[in-house]
Amino acid sequence: MLFRSAFNEVGWNVLSMLSASDRAKAIDLLFGSDAAHFNLGRIPMGASDYAIARYTDDDISSGTDYNMTSFSQTEDAKYLIPYVKAAQAVNAGIRFWASPWTPPSWMKTNNMMTYGGSLRPEYRQAWADYMVRFVKEMDSKENIPIWALTVENEPAATQTWESCIYTAAEERDFVRDNLGPAL
């Protein structure tokens, strides 16, 4: 049986306010075998609606970055990665799926991480490469293997926080033509 959880920066920030022993107890209550034992966790790819800051792992001030030369998980390392590692420490069998809330603003029709907008067709391959890079770096650099991916967290919702709009056909085509082959 799968019991799922969601990792986010605000969650780790709040847990970090506890003493080390209380934080360890809380993590054990969430992920330990004698407690809730959450064994499947969603990890945001970049900021989510429960992030401390708005970011993606490839933010640039102008232009494009097809080769992901500016890709960095520096922001993920502040809150997200420590939270995931704390869960892994008490539940080595936990599996993770990654879900983006938004591509970088330079890839979107509204040039913003927030308020919806869509992935520009000319950046579909760059977005697929970003997603693959995220998966590879989480595994190889952080020892956090990603078991599954989603194309978008809420593909039909224009939000005031990070979001991106996809039709079913756009998601299908992106997976078929870009993400699937890149993986």
Side-chain angles (χ1 to χ4, degrees):
M1 186 174 300
L2 294 175
F3 294 96
R4 60 181 228 161
S5 61
F7 292 88
N8 59 64
E9 296 171 347
V10 169
W12 185 249
N13 188 51
V14 170
L15 287 168
S16 295
M17 293 176 189
L18 300 173
S19 68
S21 64
D22 285 346
R23 183 173 47 252
K25 287 177 192 173
I27 293 294
D28 191 59
L29 286 170
L30 292 168
F31 303 101
S33 59
D34 292 331
H37 197 60
F38 292 127
N39 54 14
L40 182 62
R42 180 183 64 187
I43 299 174
M45 298 173 73
S48 72
D49 45 331
Y50 289 98
I52 302 292
R54 293 201 189 308
Y55 73 94
T56 69
D57 290 336
D58 194 14
D59 291 335
I60 54 176
S61 58
S62 64
T64 59
D65 187 21
Y66 283 104
N67 296 321
M68 302 294 122
T69 55
S70 295
F71 188 94
S72 170
Q73 290 186 302
T74 301
E75 288 296 320
D76 295 330
K78 292 178 182 178
Y79 300 95
L80 182 65
I81 290 170
Y83 193 3
V84 172
K85 288 184 176 286
Q88 285 178 308
V90 297
N91 183 349
I94 191 169
R95 292 188 292 177
F96 305 101
W97 90 88
S99 184
W101 268 242
T102 185
S105 57
W106 58 270
M107 294 185 188
K108 292 178 59 185
T109 57
N110 68 352
N111 296 310
M112 299 170 63
M113 288 186 269
T114 55
Y115 297 102
S118 298
L119 178 64
R120 294 177 191 262
E122 64 268 28
Y123 297 127
R124 286 181 184 154
Q125 191 57 53
W127 183 227
D129 293 343
Y130 172 109
M131 293 174 81
V132 169
R133 176 95 175 255
F134 180 91
V135 169
K136 285 182 177 179
E137 290 203 10
M138 288 298 272
D139 188 28
S140 66
K141 292 184 177 178
E142 302 299 338
N143 198 28
I144 300 171
I146 302 298
W147 171 71
L149 290 172
T150 65
V151 172
E152 174 62 29
N153 180 54
E154 296 174 335
T158 299
Q159 305 291 2
T160 58
W161 53 81
E162 292 76 9
S163 55
C164 187
I165 304 300
Y166 288 87
T167 65
E170 287 170 333
E171 283 195 62
R172 177 203 61 213
D173 293 350
F174 174 68
V175 171
R176 181 193 64 212
D177 300 337
N178 305 101
L179 184 57
L183 288 168

